[in-house]
Amino acid sequence: MSSKEDKDKSSKLWGGRFSEATDEFVQRFTASVDFDQRLYQYDIDGSIAHARMLCKVGVLSADEFSQIESGLESIREEITNGNFNWSVELEDVHMNIEYALTEKIGEVGKKLHTGRSRNDQIATDIRLYVRDEIDNILALLTKIQTALIDLAERESSTIFPGFTHLQTAQPVSFGHHMLAWYEMLDRDYARFVDCRKRANRSPLGAAALAGTSFPIDRDYTAELLGFDKPTNNSIDSVSDRDFAIELAAAASLLMTHLSRFSEELVLWASAQFNFVDLPDRFCTGSSIMPQKKNPDVPELIRGKTGRVTGHLVSLLNLMKSQPLAYNKDNQEDKEPLFDLIDTVKDCLFAYSEMLPAITCNKKAMLEATMKGFATATDLADYLVKKGLPFRDAHKIVGTAVAFAIEQRCDLSELTLTQLESYSDLIEPEVFDILTLEGSINARDHQGGTAPAQVRSAVAAARTALAKR
Ligand code: ARG
């Protein structure tokens, strides 16, 4: 090449109608290769499927296809081994690979792009990428859910202060609390599975937007790439990014859940709560305060939630004013999408490692539960079962609680005479229902906190996970 300009012009695969080289700024500004190169595996898979199909329908000869296929495979190897020279002048992953193919196998390489466009090519690449990453996310979710049911089983009889308004409300089984997290993640799992169904359609063959005049076989390429079937409408195929937005929405809600979980872990790991101990390898120290063990990992997960939700908002806004069909705006879908997926996977990985290593401080949990008059509702229920209307029972117990606060003791520490003074329905066996164990055991129905219920919920969850 004689000059930068010559190289620039000759290397542009679309350079034919241009009489001057691209402005250097524009070249940099419009290029996506710095970030879309990570799609190379999918791009090559898509190209091979496309070429195989062209061969099947008689557009390429068997020999041409085999040259294209082995050329692409050797490019795949070069990229994987870090021996590929990515060039901004070639704009994106697609043109870098196509250009390298022609350099490698000569004229035949120029036939690869017959009957397709970068528009259906990129739509195919990201759908393949999204599908793979959904599978990775699903596997991590299953790992965390398994850790949660293991923890729930281990701690099914551990008394824990159930909170509302962050005030002690009623005693619960710590295992039951863990199963609440299990349920949240179970809905997340279902959302990703659902999102995968719509992502797993092949846009290949839509070409630029209108389809192609070649006798393509879209079912065949769909099948080769493991898609459920081709998309229905060529215009929609190149413009649709709903699947990316759905993924971002599912990821944002998942992160919201992890953030709430993280908030609890941060609180529970504090000296004030002291409910759990996080593994040392998941905490960090302070550069100034020697005593500190900071729950950085859950804190960061809480913090990264905003980042993922931000990407969802970016993607929604990216799409909102686009006329049909493909617009260059769509190139902006990649960085948010990549970053949100990377972030979610890291956070899930952290949880999958951290949860099995969490230890519970049962004594602190028990003491905290004893502090908040957590069995007051049980006393009211006791009076109701003896014939008092609930509202009256509520009032009586409220008065007894006020007295106990004055005496600085728990309801169960009041004497029978003291308790009887609030209602003559109160008899000695009242102390059974004022115990924390009695309180959780009493909530013995499907979805309740009785340890027996927790264990059967664990068993049901195990069966469900085994079917995945
Ligand atoms: N880099 C582009 C993207 O990410 C690929 C498709 C480009 N198509 C086009 N007609 N300029 O969306």
Side-chain angles (χ1 to χ4, degrees), residues 32 36 91-92 94 118-119 122 241 326 328 330-331 333-334:
S32 54
D36 68 14
E91 201 176 315
D92 55 27
H94 323 295
R118 280 184 295 154
N119 298 352
I122 187 62
R241 294 294 182 271
Y326 175 87
K328 186 75 169 179
N330 280 356
Q331 183 164 293
D333 64 357
K334 314 246 170 350

Side-chain angles (χ1 to χ4, degrees), residues 317-336:
N317 280 291
L318 172 65
M319 298 310 295
K320 78 178 241 308
S321 302
Q322 284 195 45
L324 291 172
Y326 175 87
N327 301 283
K328 186 75 169 179
D329 312 39
N330 280 356
Q331 183 164 293
E332 285 290 306
D333 64 357
K334 314 246 170 350
E335 287 162 294

Side-chain angles (χ1 to χ4, degrees), residues 125-142:
D125 291 6
I126 3 176
R127 281 174 185 265
L128 289 171
Y129 161 75
V130 158
R131 185 182 71 189
D132 255 14
E133 294 293 18
I134 288 178
D135 290 342
N136 292 330
I137 290 172
L138 291 176
L140 285 163
L141 275 169
T142 299

Side-chain angles (χ1 to χ4, degrees), residues 284-296 299:
T284 57
S286 157
S287 58
I288 175 172
M289 297 166 284
Q291 85 281 15
K292 292 287 289 260
K293 172 175 163 183
N294 294 327
D296 289 35
E299 287 175 81

Side-chain angles (χ1 to χ4, degrees), residues 444-462:
D444 192 13
H445 52 78
Q446 187 268 336
T449 195
Q453 292 294 337
V454 173
R455 284 189 287 270
S456 68
V458 164
R462 269 199 215 292

